[in-house]
Amino acid sequence: MIEVLTTTDSQKLLHQLNALLEQESRCQPKVCGLRLIESAHDNGLRMTARLRDFEVKDLLSLTQFFGFDTETFSLAVNLLDRFLSKMKVQPKHLGCVGLSCFYLAVKSIEEERNVPLATDLIRISQYRFTVSDLMRMEKIVLEKVCWKVKATTAFQFLQLYYSLLQENLPLERNSINFERLEAQLKACHCRIIFSKAKPSVLALSIIALEIQAQKCIELTEGVECLQKHSKINGRDLTFWQELVSKCLTEYSSNKCSKPNVQKLKWIVSGRTARQLKHSYYRITHLPTIPEMVP
């Protein structure tokens, strides 16, 4: 399928895919650093996988509250994991690190008119550190990621893979919902283990599972072609598909801790809400992530 694409749009998408595949390993977290976090004991003095995952859920709550793009959230997670995989961060500093990564992603992806003031961002997040603290941490994060804020993320691959499949199947026969795929990616980002996967592999794993769940047989060949073109090993794809499936099943159950949007809904009530100065005040309710599995 991929090799015989002839439309101009398809060729542009394929060119973008090739560029992402070439770049994807350049700005990813150090796997050895992530493993150290996963193996750490929760003694209150060291960074652990549980603490990291809680922080990412807080960033997801902020993303939902402000109505920011999934790409912004995906980049924020990338920055956070790149920093954590290089530096020993004390749990008491994690909030400042996480919000700094989030703010860098927001300023990199979102339109300038939608970027909140640092003071409002800190107030809504209910942190006690100052704007100066946030700015100092931003500089530290930038130095440790070598001033490379932009990165190839799983969201970018998710968009391209989906678009390429769309190009080769009539719309009326395509029952794959992109918002659902986005929601599933967000759930995976809330687990540190998926930061060890290549962005291309994680994205294709999510799409392949959804195609199986929706029984879209017409798209199966397309996934196989994308896998071949992206040079993704079959065993790797199966391995991550199984982990994604387990994650989404757990996420859809009552056992999983989900992002706390109620906290943000409370903090902007009354006088605090009236103090917000930007257009993001128009958001009056917080979207929740839809069910992950049918």
Side-chain angles (χ1 to χ4, degrees):
M1 179 191 77
I2 300 297
E3 289 73 9
V4 296
L5 293 178
T6 56
T7 67
T8 301
D9 288 342
S10 294
Q11 289 298 328
K12 287 181 179 178
L13 290 172
L14 191 59
H15 179 73
Q16 293 174 30
L17 176 59
N18 290 337
L20 287 186
L21 288 168
E22 183 181 349
Q23 299 166 5
E24 75 171 324
S25 62
R26 295 177 184 176
C27 292
Q28 296 304 313
K30 296 174 63 176
V31 174
C32 59
L34 296 177
R35 286 173 178 162
L36 284 175
I37 295 174
E38 288 180 310
S39 64
H41 297 293
D42 199 351
N43 57 9
L45 300 175
R46 296 184 62 186
M47 182 55 52
T48 64
R50 184 181 67 85
L51 290 173
R52 177 269 181 199
D53 291 352
F54 278 147
E55 181 61 26
V56 171
K57 288 171 186 174
D58 282 347
L59 299 186
L60 178 52
S61 295
L62 284 171
T63 303
Q64 293 175 328
F65 171 74
F66 285 108
F68 289 150
D69 291 339
T70 301
E71 183 178 3
T72 299
F73 173 64
S74 200
L75 179 58
V77 174
N78 171 274
L79 287 167
L80 177 63
D81 286 332
R82 282 161 64 190
F83 186 80
L84 294 179
S85 67
K86 288 184 176 182
M87 303 295 295
K88 292 183 178 180
V89 176
Q90 295 182 28
K92 64 181 180 180
H93 296 144
L94 180 59
C96 192
V97 172
L99 200 63
S100 296
C101 293
F102 180 75
Y103 205 27
L104 286 169
V106 169
K107 290 184 285 188
S108 177
I109 301 296
E110 301 293 333
E111 293 184 17
E112 185 176 354
R113 61 186 175 86
N114 293 328
V115 177
L117 296 176
T119 51
D120 291 336
L121 188 60
I122 293 171
R123 182 190 300 126
I124 291 171
S125 303
Q126 302 188 56
Y127 286 123
R128 294 184 178 180
F129 50 76
T130 66
V131 172
S132 295
D133 294 331
L134 186 66
M135 296 301 103
R136 281 196 296 270
M137 186 59 73
E138 268 197 9
K139 185 177 180 181
I140 293 172
V141 171
L142 284 170
E143 289 174 348
K144 295 306 175 183
V145 300
C146 302
W147 297 85
K148 296 177 181 178
V149 175
K150 291 284 189 177
T152 302
T153 65
F155 175 74
Q156 293 172 317
F157 278 107
L158 197 70
Q159 279 186 313
L160 276 177
Y161 286 151
Y162 178 79
S163 297
L164 281 164
L165 290 173
Q166 287 271 61
E167 282 289 310
N168 290 272
L169 191 67
L171 186 60
E172 64 272 12
R173 293 171 59 195
N174 191 347
S175 60
I176 303 300
N177 183 284
F178 187 70
E179 288 185 3
R180 183 178 169 90
L181 295 175
E182 284 186 273
Q184 293 172 346
L185 175 61
K186 290 173 184 176
C188 289
H189 276 325
C190 291
R191 301 287 181 89
I192 191 173
I193 189 171
F194 293 106
S195 293
K196 295 190 293 186
K198 283 185 176 182
S200 58
V201 178
L202 177 56
L204 196 59
S205 296
I206 292 172
I207 289 179
L209 278 174
E210 185 65 8
I211 287 173
Q212 291 176 16
Q214 300 300 330
K215 297 181 172 58
C216 296
I217 301 175
E218 300 94 337
L219 294 177
T220 303
E221 183 182 353
V223 170
E224 292 175 352
C225 290
L226 289 173
Q227 176 188 343
K228 181 180 178 181
H229 184 86
S230 302
K231 298 180 181 179
I232 297 175
N233 182 280
R235 290 184 179 179
D236 287 343
L237 187 62
T238 299
F239 173 79
W240 287 107
Q241 274 186 251
E242 291 176 354
L243 289 180
V244 169
S245 178
K246 181 180 178 181
C247 170
L248 299 184
T249 300
E250 291 175 352
Y251 195 94
S252 63
S253 73
N254 294 326
K255 297 179 182 179
C256 182
S257 172
K258 297 182 175 61
N260 182 10
V261 294
Q262 292 299 326
K263 180 177 73 171
L264 298 184
K265 191 181 292 186
W266 173 84
I267 197 65
V268 294
S269 62
R271 184 178 65 182
T272 303
R274 291 191 293 273
Q275 292 174 346
L276 297 181
K277 304 172 184 177
H278 286 273
S279 60
Y280 53 74
Y281 173 59
R282 70 184 184 276
I283 300 171
T284 57
H285 67 281
L286 306 181
T288 56
I289 294 181
E291 288 296 319
M292 295 296 109
V293 293

